[in-house]
Amino acid sequence: MATNSSSLLPPAIAATGPAVPVSPSDPAYEVSRQRQIDEGGVDLSLSEQQDLFLKSLDIDGMTNEGYSSRDIVDLIGQMMPGGFDVEGARANFDDDDEILKEIGLVRPEGKVAAFARETARSLVKGVPTVGGGIMGGMLTAPGGPVAMAGGAIAGSTAGLQAGETLDSLLFDDSLPYAPGVRPLAKSGETFGFGLTFLGAPYTRPLQAG
């Protein structure tokens, strides 16, 4: 899309002149210039108010509470300092997930890309865990079943730590998925772990039927 996120927001204005009055009972008061003035005499520009408001939105938490992307976009329309043209945004984007992506509140991946990304992440974390358990068990097997079990646990723990380190290096979690994308991302995570553990030795009797 040629439209960029700045075109979705009201134009930034300098923090000059009186603030638009907002009462403490107004939902927008929490991030308003009026509150800043009331509490500390700090007069924020409109763009600063908008940035503060957007950073205050907990997309993951709202998704957990049952908010859809449409609900969140409607909320932005109601509470964004300076206003937000919800209908104009919806006329320019395919769905509300895309609006949240354009504003910069969620990750850019669509459903298929999110599924693939989380599958890869699960493999990055799971393969070292399983591999570490196998290696630990093999190295301690001469000591008997108890030693072998302990070695497998220690190896799995070390592998898990290595996998989590790789995950943090390879994947950025600074933004959540859009509510409409997250279910597919979770499915990819589950699928990836399933692929990982299919290769574990203890699954072979099950695979043999």
Side-chain angles (χ1 to χ4, degrees):
M1 288 266 178
T3 306
N4 58 49
S5 57
S6 62
S7 67
L8 296 180
L9 304 179
I13 59 172
T16 58
V20 176
V22 181
S23 70
S25 62
D26 191 304
Y29 181 78
E30 182 71 18
V31 295
S32 67
R33 280 175 68 193
Q34 187 64 54
R35 181 192 174 200
Q36 298 298 321
I37 296 168
D38 291 346
E39 295 185 357
V42 178
D43 191 1
L44 298 180
S45 70
L46 179 58
S47 61
E48 289 171 326
Q49 292 178 61
Q50 292 167 351
D51 185 57
L52 184 62
F53 169 70
L54 293 174
K55 286 179 178 177
S56 75
L57 295 176
D58 178 6
I59 302 298
D60 265 342
M62 295 172 78
T63 304
N64 291 337
E65 291 294 325
Y67 282 74
S68 65
S69 291
R70 185 176 186 86
D71 294 332
I72 295 172
V73 171
D74 285 339
L75 181 69
I76 293 171
Q78 296 163 12
M79 296 183 63
M80 172 74 84
F84 180 78
D85 183 6
V86 172
E87 294 310 314
R90 284 175 174 153
N92 283 284
F93 291 89
D94 294 333
D95 56 40
D96 291 276
D97 285 346
E98 296 300 319
I99 296 174
L100 296 180
K101 292 175 192 177
E102 188 70 14
I103 295 172
L105 291 174
V106 298
R107 295 194 57 81
E109 290 87 0
K111 295 176 181 178
V112 174
F115 181 92
R117 181 177 185 270
E118 292 305 314
T119 297
R121 288 189 70 176
S122 292
L123 292 172
V124 165
K125 290 187 285 189
V127 168
T129 303
V130 174
I134 293 171
M135 288 300 298
M138 290 174 62
L139 292 173
T140 55
V146 175
M148 183 177 178
I153 292 171
S156 294
T157 300
L160 176 61
Q161 292 173 345
E164 289 179 342
T165 299
L166 279 173
D167 176 71
S168 66
L169 292 172
L170 296 174
F171 298 95
D172 174 25
D173 266 340
S174 59
L175 288 174
Y177 289 106
V181 172
R182 196 169 75 161
L184 269 294
K186 292 293 185 183
S187 295
E189 181 181 1
T190 302
F191 180 68
F193 276 121
L195 290 179
T196 299
F197 288 98
L198 280 176
Y202 50 76
T203 66
R204 287 174 187 167
L206 296 176
Q207 294 173 32

